[in-house]
Amino acid sequence: MPFINPNHRGLAYGDGYLQGDGQLGQVVRIVGNDLFAVNTTPTAKSFGILIKDYKNGEMPGIYCMGGVYETDVFEGTVNPGDDLKVSANGKLTAGVQAGEEVIARAVSVSGGTIKFRLLI
């Protein structure tokens, strides 16, 4: 079962609504007044990471504004020190290219989990 553990939590935002469904650990962006959607575009500004699964129209809990977290919700190979961006599936991934937004930095990688510092 996927998890996201706030080791040293930053802020959390719990207002507004989710456009479309979202899963724990997916990155979201602002798409309107108090309206969020899963971000699947690495060049778009991200707002935070979903605290759990949410359905379309629900009020999501979103980790944002820093903190250190641990999760198994990411894609590809991540190494300590890697800058992380959002993937085409809305998950954390390494391999930031020119023009893409850095949203986190990997602190450690162990046994299929990453510990990361949220930069958004």
Side-chain angles (χ1 to χ4, degrees), residues 19 39-40 71 80 87:
Q19 178 181 336
N39 188 6
T40 57
T71 189
S87 74

Side-chain angles (χ1 to χ4, degrees), residues 24-49:
L24 172 143
Q26 283 187 307
V27 178
V28 294
R29 63 187 177 95
I30 299 170
V31 294
N33 292 323
D34 290 324
L35 185 62
F36 303 92
V38 172
N39 188 6
T40 57
T41 308
T43 55
K45 293 266 187 204
S46 296
F47 181 80
I49 295 180

Side-chain angles (χ1 to χ4, degrees), residues 22-91:
Q23 297 174 342
L24 172 143
Q26 283 187 307
V27 178
V28 294
R29 63 187 177 95
I30 299 170
V31 294
N33 292 323
D34 290 324
L35 185 62
F36 303 92
V38 172
N39 188 6
T40 57
T41 308
T43 55
K45 293 266 187 204
S46 296
F47 181 80
I49 295 180
L50 292 174
I51 292 173
K52 63 179 192 128
D53 292 354
Y54 295 96
K55 294 192 183 306
N56 181 44
E58 289 185 331
M59 184 179 294
I62 302 168
Y63 289 128
C64 56
M65 302 297 292
V68 176
Y69 303 87
E70 184 177 18
T71 189
D72 62 352
V73 181
F74 66 97
E75 293 180 348
T77 301
V78 175
N79 294 301
D82 282 354
D83 286 336
L84 305 176
K85 64 179 180 177
V86 64
S87 74
N89 295 313
K91 299 177 181 177

